[in-house]
Amino acid sequence: MNHRAPVDTIDDLDRRIIAALQLNGRAPWSAVARWVDASETTAQRRYRALRERGLLRVVGTMELDRTREGSSMLVRVQARPGRGLEVADRLTDSPDVRFVAVVTGAADLIVDFVARDNEEMMRILFTDLPAADLITSTEAVPVIRAFTSASMWDTGLLPAEAAAGLRPDSLASSCDRADWDVTPQALTTLEQAVVAALKEDGRTPVSTLARNLEHTESSVARAMDRLIARGILQFRTLVEPALIGYDAEFMVWLSIEPDRLDAAGRQLAGHPGTKFLGAATGRFNLVGHMVLPRRADLFRYTSDVIGALPGLLASDVTLHLVTMKYSWHRMVRPAA
């Protein structure tokens, strides 16, 4: 995905297909067709066209807090004046970065670094930080628990019943997880290979995976089923929010009274514009990635949604100008 497309380049059927795949990126075409009111052949043809045009991509993602495969760190970055896009481009190219957004406000960039352990995170942030010569300051915000994730987001473009009809039973709300205190399990070699393959194309058939990984279809299918059942493997649909009617993409950085954090998190996680929300440490202990139909909607949002949160002490909003990288995949390249 390497360019922005005008909103009028897709139609309502395309948007319904995107919405169905957002609910479950690996949903069978028979189920997608039923909810978008089209034939399976048409749904598949539209999907392929969107993917070939670079407007849509379904990827498998690994929920790191359920594994021993590493951890992430959100970092607010300020760049030297006039050098923000150069910094963003260099960070986007880093294999240690899975998310980059160019934003307005108290930060110039929001970056999500992933490392195997603390030693590697220290190397990334303090020794080998890309574009360090162009960065004036950084603020690390470690997310310690998710209230909801992008794989749970509902675009609202399909009937409410579509979520129940398309999503796997294992995809439960992060707020109600019962395994937070359970020691994460290490992945087997096959499970790691399955995750890596689906990171490139989340809809790769089991038969193709088995052939490429040189395993039987039954062993690959069992490995995938285990990963999905444990909540480790989830599927996300990468698309420009404006294509499905959301022109305002932003992050909220909130300071909440510690004894009200759970209540505030659950309340904000229930808002239809919340794509991701997590508890964090530091001066911001609640961090979210949000969308709204229009930038003008931010006025009511800050007063009626953020302002109504229990225990709110302070807030900051960073409005996305462009999302450069999402779930390890480059979305756009800045203009020269």
Side-chain angles (χ1 to χ4, degrees):
M1 305 179 69
N2 54 15
H3 64 282
R4 280 186 179 274
V7 174
D8 60 5
T9 60
I10 68 173
D11 61 19
D12 287 342
L13 176 56
D14 291 327
R15 294 185 183 93
R16 292 198 301 273
I17 291 170
I18 293 170
L21 294 174
Q22 171 60 42
L23 290 171
N24 181 359
R26 206 172 167 84
W29 285 118
S30 58
V32 172
R34 182 168 63 252
W35 287 105
V36 304
D37 193 23
S39 69
E40 291 186 43
T41 301
T42 298
Q44 292 182 65
R45 185 178 68 251
R46 291 295 190 102
Y47 164 76
R48 286 195 298 269
L50 289 168
R51 197 180 191 288
E52 290 169 1
R53 293 163 63 195
L55 303 182
L56 172 69
R57 186 168 192 157
V58 175
V59 299
T61 65
M62 181 166 56
E63 296 298 298
L64 292 172
D65 62 6
R66 297 175 186 251
T67 75
R68 297 177 181 173
E69 301 298 309
S71 60
S72 72
M73 183 80 68
L74 284 176
V75 179
R76 293 159 54 101
V77 174
Q78 287 187 312
R80 288 170 51 187
R83 308 301 292 274
L85 287 180
E86 184 179 351
V87 175
D89 209 29
R90 288 166 64 177
L91 286 167
T92 298
D93 286 338
S94 170
D96 301 316
V97 170
R98 67 175 174 181
F99 173 87
V100 179
V102 180
V103 301
T104 65
D108 297 319
L109 309 168
I110 307 300
V111 187
D112 183 13
F113 290 94
V114 175
R116 287 190 300 269
D117 50 36
N118 286 343
E119 182 177 350
E120 185 173 77
M121 187 65 77
M122 288 176 62
R123 174 189 64 77
I124 293 170
L125 295 180
F126 301 113
T127 304
D128 300 330
L129 180 67
D133 56 317
L134 303 179
I135 293 173
T136 60
S137 69
T138 62
E139 179 180 7
V141 183
V143 175
I144 55 176
R145 178 172 293 190
F147 285 97
T148 190
S149 66
S151 56
M152 288 293 299
W153 185 56
D154 187 340
T155 64
L157 298 177
L158 294 177
E161 301 79 19
L166 289 166
R167 281 178 172 157
D169 294 337
S170 60
L171 193 59
S173 170
S174 297
C175 294
D176 301 317
R177 278 178 53 185
D179 63 347
W180 283 113
D181 299 322
V182 176
T183 302
Q185 298 178 2
L187 300 189
T188 67
T189 301
L190 177 56
E191 288 172 342
Q192 290 174 331
V194 168
V195 171
L198 291 172
K199 184 171 74 171
E200 296 304 314
D201 182 357
R203 292 196 66 87
T204 303
V206 171
S207 58
T208 303
L209 289 174
R211 183 172 61 253
N212 292 342
L213 300 177
E214 298 182 343
H215 279 265
T216 64
E217 289 190 30
S218 59
S219 63
V220 170
R222 287 195 301 270
M224 188 185 303
D225 289 343
R226 287 195 304 269
L227 290 165
I228 293 173
R230 288 156 57 191
I232 293 170
L233 176 61
Q234 299 181 1
F235 298 93
R236 294 179 184 172
T237 299
L238 310 185
V239 65
E240 288 280 352
L243 285 175
I244 53 174
Y246 293 96
D247 289 329
E249 184 178 12
F250 58 100
M251 291 190 72
V252 295
W253 309 81
L254 308 173
S255 177
I256 305 290
E257 294 176 1
D259 62 340
R260 310 300 297 281
L261 182 59
D262 186 64
R266 288 173 179 270
Q267 183 170 314
L268 189 54
H271 188 275
T274 301
K275 294 186 67 177
F276 163 80
L277 186 70
T281 64
R283 66 185 177 116
F284 301 113
N285 58 359
L286 191 61
V287 179
H289 183 180
M290 318 299 196
V291 291
L292 290 172
R294 304 174 305 152
R295 288 189 180 185
D297 296 329
L298 275 165
F299 180 81
R300 290 293 185 191
Y301 181 89
T302 53
S303 62
D304 298 350
V305 178
I306 299 301
L309 292 174
L312 180 67
L313 298 173
S315 66
D316 184 33
V317 173
T318 52
L319 184 66
H320 288 208
L321 297 176
V322 64
T323 301
M324 301 282 296
K325 191 176 189 179
Y326 192 62
S327 289
W328 302 108
H329 294 279
R330 178 181 278 276
M331 303 292 285
V332 297
R333 184 174 291 276

